[in-house]
Amino acid sequence: AEDHTILVSAATADPCIKCRRAAAVGLSDIAGRSTQRQTGGTDRNMETLLILLDDADDVIRAAAARGLHYSSQRVAVVTALRKKLEDPNPYVVRAAASSLILSGDKSGIPHLIETLRFPSIDTFEHYDREIQKDLAYYCGVDFPPESRYIYDTWHRWWSENGTAVNLELNLEIKQRIQSAFKAPDEEKGIDILEALREAYPDSIVIRNRYARFCYEWITYRLLTAHQVNDVIFARCLRLQKKLTEIEPAEAGHWKRLAYFHARLYAFDKSVDAMETALALEPENEGFQTALKQYKILFEKKNNQLRQETSRPETEKKKS
């Protein structure tokens, strides 16, 4: 059994508030690992986190609420977390609501939505842990960027549709999507996401996360490889094609598709992709310029091929 004596002592009795906070975060972080391994420290950890849930410090209460997710099947824990849905600190409410939601308790969702009233980095666009992304998973719905960061959007939707939310199914979909993002290569991730798409073709959450999966693999994994060669570009091309299938109205996807075709010298396909992009945004001067350049490259390649095929056989053999 794990001995959590040092962390428990530091979290509950250390005179330094920074030490107490660090210990509380540590107990919260190891709660999941302890639960997964079913170690002897699990109950003691849970009991300590329950005590810390009523601590005077906001950071410690929030850390305790996060860690109690792993024991949220216990009646005493559920009761304590529900009380924290009325906590005056929005971070504590968010942590308690998230722990309840992840255990399958829908009562946390409207409280999590209410915390959107409190502006903070995790309610803003481009933050990797934004609450709106979590809400999309939990509710099985998503909205365009111009409205998804507005409290009224979620509040109104939940008021009209909350009772119909199938949280158990949505959490299962969330877990499968996350497993796709953690896959060791894009092939395994694509297989998972394609299966989800086939099973739930109308899911906007699956669509949006699939698009993000493709973007992240291209941008942060493949194009940052030590050596970017034709093999890498071919893999990027496949993912970019997926993006144009998932979001065909996004002109930028077609422009990037044209780029990857060009890197593989398929300039005719680059021209086709840029024509599609330009049809979506006919006034885009950058697209107009790119199309002209790809047409020039296509023509140069054709001229080269014509010259090679018209050369005498004896000259070809010499070369």
Side-chain angles (χ1 to χ4, degrees):
E2 288 184 8
D3 185 2
H4 299 151
T5 303
I6 296 175
L7 282 176
V8 169
S9 175
T12 55
D14 198 285
C16 172
I17 187 62
K18 290 184 178 179
C19 292
R20 291 186 60 231
R21 287 174 175 175
V25 171
L27 286 171
S28 178
D29 288 343
I30 66 174
R33 297 194 293 275
S34 298
T35 305
Q36 289 161 11
R37 292 198 297 264
Q38 295 297 310
T39 64
T42 302
D43 286 342
R44 187 176 185 190
N45 196 7
M46 181 196 72
E47 290 164 5
T48 304
L49 290 174
L50 277 172
I51 292 169
L52 296 177
L53 197 60
D54 288 322
D55 197 273
D57 185 74
D58 296 340
V59 175
I60 292 174
R61 291 201 309 282
R66 282 193 298 274
L68 284 168
H69 154 56
Y70 301 101
S71 304
S72 55
Q73 73 279 9
R74 311 280 186 98
V75 174
V77 172
V78 171
T79 301
L81 286 172
R82 284 179 175 168
K83 286 181 181 177
K84 290 302 154 184
L85 294 176
E86 307 302 329
D87 195 278
N89 184 280
Y91 290 104
V92 177
V93 175
R94 285 172 185 168
S98 295
S99 288
L100 286 169
I101 294 164
L102 290 169
S103 70
D105 188 340
K106 282 170 63 172
S107 68
I109 296 179
H111 290 274
L112 189 59
I113 289 172
E114 283 300 312
T115 68
L116 295 178
R117 291 177 179 271
F118 177 75
S120 58
I121 191 169
D122 47 359
T123 61
F124 297 156
E125 192 174 0
H126 305 310
Y127 183 63
D128 62 350
R129 296 182 182 177
E130 63 185 53
I131 294 172
Q132 289 85 347
K133 184 177 75 177
D134 291 335
L135 284 170
Y137 275 133
Y138 304 149
C139 296
V141 69
D142 206 350
F143 305 97
E146 61 269 19
S147 60
R148 80 188 302 252
Y149 296 94
I150 300 172
Y151 160 76
D152 286 339
T153 300
W154 292 97
H155 177 71
R156 189 182 309 111
W157 186 91
W158 180 260
S159 299
E160 296 171 358
N161 304 281
T163 55
V165 167
N166 185 341
L167 181 57
E168 183 180 359
L169 173 62
N170 293 342
L171 289 175
E172 180 192 340
I173 291 172
K174 176 178 184 283
Q175 186 275 326
R176 290 173 65 184
I177 291 174
Q178 289 178 331
S179 69
F181 275 81
K182 293 175 183 176
D185 58 68
E186 74 269 26
E187 293 292 336
K188 290 184 175 62
I190 287 172
D191 288 344
I192 293 168
L193 291 163
E194 283 293 333
L196 280 171
R197 239 180 126 196
E198 185 176 350
Y200 309 102
D202 298 326
S203 172
I204 190 171
V205 174
I206 294 170
R207 188 198 74 185
N208 287 353
R209 299 314 298 161
Y210 196 172
R212 184 67 191 183
F213 169 88
C214 295
Y215 173 80
E216 288 190 5
W217 259 98
I218 293 170
T219 308
Y220 303 123
R221 301 199 194 190
L222 296 177
L223 292 182
T224 56
H226 178 67
Q227 185 178 8
V228 179
N229 51 29
D230 285 354
V231 173
I232 294 292
F233 285 128
R235 291 167 68 184
C236 289
L237 179 64
R238 185 188 178 199
L239 288 161
Q240 194 63 39
K241 283 180 179 178
K242 290 289 181 188
L243 274 170
T244 61
E245 292 170 14
I246 297 165
E247 297 176 333
E250 289 292 327
H253 292 341
W254 293 97
K255 179 190 176 186
R256 215 172 187 202
L257 183 65
Y259 168 79
F260 290 124
H261 276 308
R263 292 309 303 247
L264 295 167
Y265 308 102
F267 300 119
D268 54 335
K269 293 180 180 178
S270 294
V271 169
D272 290 342
M274 278 313 306
E275 284 178 342
T276 302
L278 200 56
L280 291 166
E281 293 185 14
E283 304 301 320
N284 190 312
E285 293 182 3
F287 288 0
Q288 293 168 9
T289 301
L291 179 57
K292 289 175 184 176
Q293 290 171 338
Y294 287 134
K295 283 182 175 179
I296 291 170
L297 289 169
F298 176 50
E299 191 57 37
K300 280 184 178 179
K301 184 180 177 183
N302 275 352
N303 288 337
Q304 234 174 359
L305 289 172
R306 281 194 291 268
Q307 288 171 7
E308 287 177 5
T309 55
S310 64
R311 284 163 60 192
E313 196 65 31
T314 53
E315 192 176 328
K316 289 180 186 176
K317 285 180 180 179
K318 286 181 184 178
S319 62

